[in-house]
Amino acid sequence: GAVVSQHPSRVICKSGTSVKIECRSLDFQATTMFWYRQFPKQSLMLMATSNEGSKATYEQGVEKDKFLINHASLTLSTLTVTSAHPEDSSFYICSAGTSGGLSDTQYFGPGTRLTVL
Amino acid sequence: GENVEQHPSTLSVQEGDSAVIKCTYSDSASNYFPWYKQELGKRPQLIIDIRSNVGEKKDQRIAVTLNKTAKHFSLHITETQPEDSAVYFCAASKGGSYIPTFGRGTSLIVHP
């Protein structure tokens, strides 16, 4: 089946530093990757959609200069939280999907727990 | 855009009972409805999905029903077990443009 990996699984950093999170589709080519943020006991909040080779589409209210997304290849997307602050602490999850038709399923990565001190 | 409502937010049942989680959607063009199970601190896992050309789908103890006219779909879990305890999310999306809209989630607790 489709496997999505995410690295790191957990990161603790000081306020003001930048953190990069990688999302990889291991056994399929992901034309689109999604980045979500999840607060405790809450639903998945879509942050942005990234297509390989083009700029990411950010959801309303998400700062594109704060959350930099790069989708350099069909198997890798990165999310960089720049100048992280304690309020950025959250569970970040990526997902990957293939192009339309019957392949509508999203496959989620294991998530990254970010704690900003 | 699409709006997905999910109820209840919390569901507590005894082991062996059935559990039903209901979702409604607003966009009649949505045609793909997946259900995800998320255990604490882990990734959401697809457990079952249904497309708009089907009214019901079953996989062992899990079933999903879809009523296109009423724009609602439900997840049914029979003979619940403690390991079914998790947060369940429904979602709705359109074919081709498959960014799903997620419900708020239902925390299912199965008491042994």
Side-chain angles (χ1 to χ4, degrees):
Chain A
V3 178
V4 176
S5 70
Q6 200 171 327
H7 178 81
S9 59
R10 186 181 297 269
V11 60
I12 301 173
C13 68
K14 293 182 179 179
S15 185
T17 59
S18 293
V19 175
K20 180 185 281 188
I21 303 169
E22 292 187 349
C23 178
R24 293 181 185 272
S25 57
L26 299 184
D27 53 0
F28 68 102
Q29 292 185 328
T31 51
T32 303
M33 287 185 171
F34 304 90
W35 286 96
Y36 293 87
R37 185 173 180 177
Q38 188 177 35
F39 293 102
K41 297 185 179 180
Q42 293 192 23
S43 189
L44 299 157
M45 185 191 81
L46 180 65
M47 299 174 65
T49 304
S50 73
N51 293 293
E52 185 263 340
S54 62
K55 289 185 178 180
T57 302
Y58 289 81
E59 295 298 300
Q60 191 172 8
V62 178
E63 300 175 60
K64 57 182 68 176
D65 294 331
K66 172 80 172 173
F67 300 99
L68 300 178
I69 291 172
N70 183 275
H71 194 159
S73 75
L74 286 171
T75 59
L76 173 64
S77 177
T78 60
L79 166 68
T80 302
V81 182
T82 61
S83 187
H85 291 284
E87 58 265 30
D88 298 324
S89 298
S90 191
F91 193 52
Y92 293 88
I93 308 177
C94 70
S95 72
T98 53
S99 56
L102 293 179
S103 300
D104 292 327
T105 304
Q106 284 193 52
Y107 300 94
F108 286 89
T112 296
R113 175 76 58 193
L114 171 62
T115 302
V116 185
L117 303 176
Chain B
E2 176 67 275
N3 182 46
V4 176
E5 299 282 343
Q6 183 172 347
H7 298 281
S9 58
T10 305
L11 179 59
S12 183
V13 300
Q14 288 296 129
E15 183 177 1
D17 288 350
S18 295
V20 180
I21 302 170
K22 298 181 179 181
C23 288
T24 60
Y25 61 100
S26 60
D27 191 340
S28 57
S30 291
N31 58 12
Y32 177 63
F33 308 93
W35 285 89
Y36 290 87
K37 174 184 179 182
Q38 186 180 28
E39 297 177 5
L40 189 63
K42 297 188 177 180
R43 78 183 84 194
Q45 297 267 24
L46 178 72
I47 55 171
I48 196 167
D49 56 11
I50 192 167
R51 299 186 187 277
S52 59
N53 58 344
V54 176
E56 184 175 357
K57 185 177 179 180
K58 193 173 182 180
D59 182 3
Q60 299 182 347
R61 296 187 296 108
I62 295 172
V64 57
T65 58
L66 171 65
N67 184 325
K68 285 178 59 180
T69 304
K71 289 189 282 194
H72 67 71
F73 55 112
S74 301
L75 177 71
H76 304 252
I77 305 175
T78 58
E79 301 172 30
T80 54
Q81 300 167 3
E83 51 265 38
D84 294 329
S85 297
V87 178
Y88 291 81
F89 293 99
C90 65
S93 72
K94 303 175 191 177
S97 174
Y98 53 97
I99 302 174
T101 300
F102 285 87
R104 289 185 173 272
T106 296
S107 177
L108 173 64
I109 303 167
V110 181
H111 299 282

